[in-house]
Amino acid sequence: MANKMHVKLTLNGQQVEGLAEPRTLLIHFLRENLNVTGPHIGCETSHCGACTVDMNGKSVKSCTVFVAQANGAEVTTVEGLVNPDGSLGVIQEMFREHHGLQCGFCTPGMITRAHRLLQENPRPTEEEVRFGMAGNLCRCTGYQNIVKAILASADMLNAQKEAAE
């Protein structure tokens, strides 16, 4: 058996730790060691985006990140995007409201990527949303409602920000 390393990271705002072989992929560490099942295992080749998480302020496909690379990192999954009271966050709610999901398999990665996209570009155009989401695949929806949901999320988040100022 290979040597295991002690892994510590901040997951959805909470300090977590566990033991894993350094070559363990982050997606497997999240799902198998930490029981965080929002990110899905899709293609395991970084093509589909079902495993997308936010790591240190960037979208990453957790099927291509070794747990050793994530040691000490700040990681956010779809579970970390809910409101403090546990209700759906804005992007999650807009995906629901605008029918931006069907089977739901790609949805956690889509929502997590959309979160980072809207951090990077709070007022994207439809074209910018389509380009920014190009690394996340959906086999069910045809993307139109996903784009609508992200644009609606941008509008709502911007309105909330303006109301708070």
Side-chain angles (χ1 to χ4, degrees):
M1 178 180 279
N3 291 334
K4 293 191 176 187
M5 66 178 288
H6 188 229
V7 180
K8 287 185 181 182
L9 52 94
T10 302
L11 178 65
N12 300 325
Q14 301 293 316
Q15 292 289 320
V16 297
E17 55 188 278
L19 293 174
E21 292 181 26
R23 66 183 178 156
T24 300
L25 295 174
L26 178 58
I27 185 68
H28 295 295
F29 184 73
L30 292 172
R31 293 181 64 84
E32 296 164 16
N33 293 57
L34 302 178
N35 296 314
V36 174
T37 58
H40 290 154
I41 299 169
C43 64
E44 291 193 278
T45 60
S46 81
H47 289 97
C48 75
C51 67
T52 302
V53 299
D54 202 74
M55 187 169 95
N56 294 333
K58 295 185 187 289
S59 290
V60 299
K61 294 180 181 173
S62 59
C63 73
T64 62
V65 176
F66 291 117
V67 74
Q69 294 170 292
N71 194 25
E74 186 171 321
V75 176
T76 303
T77 67
V78 69
E79 291 92 342
L81 299 178
V82 297
N83 291 322
D85 67 1
S87 63
L88 296 178
V90 169
I91 299 170
Q92 294 164 322
E93 182 60 34
M94 291 300 99
F95 265 68
R96 187 195 65 77
E97 188 175 308
H98 292 274
H99 309 286
L101 56 108
Q102 284 184 15
C103 82
F105 191 80
C106 70
T107 305
M110 289 281 186
I111 289 173
T112 306
R113 173 61 195 137
H115 165 76
R116 179 52 46 199
L117 172 65
L118 295 177
Q119 298 290 313
E120 296 165 352
N121 182 357
R123 298 182 190 280
T125 64
E126 180 178 333
E127 183 179 334
E128 290 168 331
V129 169
R130 288 182 182 279
F131 181 80
M133 297 300 293
N136 291 72
L137 303 179
C138 177
R139 293 181 173 93
C140 301
T141 65
Y143 300 98
Q144 189 57 37
N145 289 342
I146 291 170
V147 173
K148 285 181 186 176
I150 294 169
L151 291 170
S153 298
D155 289 344
M156 183 168 281
L157 290 167
N158 288 320
Q160 289 175 350
K161 184 178 178 183
E162 290 168 8
E165 292 175 349

